[in-house]
Amino acid sequence: MENYKYLKDESYYIERYDRGTVEECRYWVKSGVSKDWGEMKDDDKENKTAKLKNQLKVTIVAPTMLYVIKGQRYADKNRTIAEWMNLDRQKDAKLDNAQEPKNIFCSNCSSIMTVMDKHFLMDWDKKEDEVVFMFECPMCQKRKGIWEDGREWKLKVKCEKCKGESIKESATKNGTIITTVYLCQSCGHKKEDVWDFDKKLEPEKPDPNFAKDRKEFCLSNEEGEKYVEGMARIKHFEEMMKEFGKKEEVKKKIADIKKLNIAELTKILNQAIEKEGYMKLEFSKPEIARDIIINFTAQDSKPDRVEYDSIHNLKKIFKTNLEKTNWRLMSDGVYYKLGILSGRLRGYENDEDLLKLKEKNGSNINF
């Protein structure tokens, strides 16, 4: 038994792909914009407008679309051919490694049947291609197919007349000619299929224009790479514009947030705390990374204010005055010792961080 080989030379797949390219481009050219504008009168403005529109389609739109089709076919060519070859390579491996079912008996005369060949068929139970072995009885020439796992292959035939599935099948062989009769058990309709193994299939008619159209529609490596590079530049530009659009949208959303520098921050907080009985707000040297973190200290000028009230009131001042700015009191809070209050502030500069800050609705969450 000689196994059928699915994997072909690479040239077979190249031609197969190019034929697909030619057919797709031919279809576009055939169904594309017509160059026949018809006769028009000089005073027919509507026809003049239609002519201009159609001329635009013919001279710009149609050629551009055809170029895109040719270019995209080139861009997908190597990947598609590699996928085809890999699929056929896997089929050959699966076919070579398929295990022949043993002890298959003829349903007609109970003789041991022998394998004629094996190939792939769609196994509708598993919804995928599986290997089926074709057996023949050496005594009565009856045949049947057996899946690799031992199940018998059954050809599901429907009656042409009543669409019933209760079909009785019988086959006779006369030399190289096999006649199969299908008899519907429901309506009695009978159909015959005759197959001659010696009959040669009619060769496929050659395509006289394929070579010419292949040269026209299948881009060369130089032409194809120009298309690929051009599309890469367009894609890069689109991504840049998309990113620019996102940044502009973020800027719009955070437009009402005041971005304060240290001097502005100091002025606003000093004015606010002094009204509430605090003084001498001082900042340490800032830690500068993605954000800015600074330690602060302040003095409570009201000696009768208890620790809890002093801390709570200062935090409230900070929250109220920083709510619409790029600064926040950090989550470790405010500490109090002998009338000295201390803590840390974080300043945000990055637009994305400011948007998160706004979405947190001004809470003191350190993200």
Side-chain angles (χ1 to χ4, degrees), residues 102-123:
K102 302 299 181 183
N103 299 322
I104 303 301
F105 295 92
C106 177
S107 303
N108 184 52
C109 68
S110 300
S111 300
I112 288 286
M113 305 183 80
T114 57
V115 173
M116 297 172 57
D117 58 27
K118 57 182 176 179
H119 50 264
F120 281 97
L121 282 178
M122 170 58 72
D123 186 347

Side-chain angles (χ1 to χ4, degrees), residues 304-318:
D304 58 339
R305 186 157 45 192
V306 298
E307 177 181 340
Y308 175 81
D309 290 340
S310 183
I311 291 174
H312 180 74
N313 195 45
L314 185 64
K315 288 171 68 175
K316 183 178 180 181
I317 294 170
F318 277 25

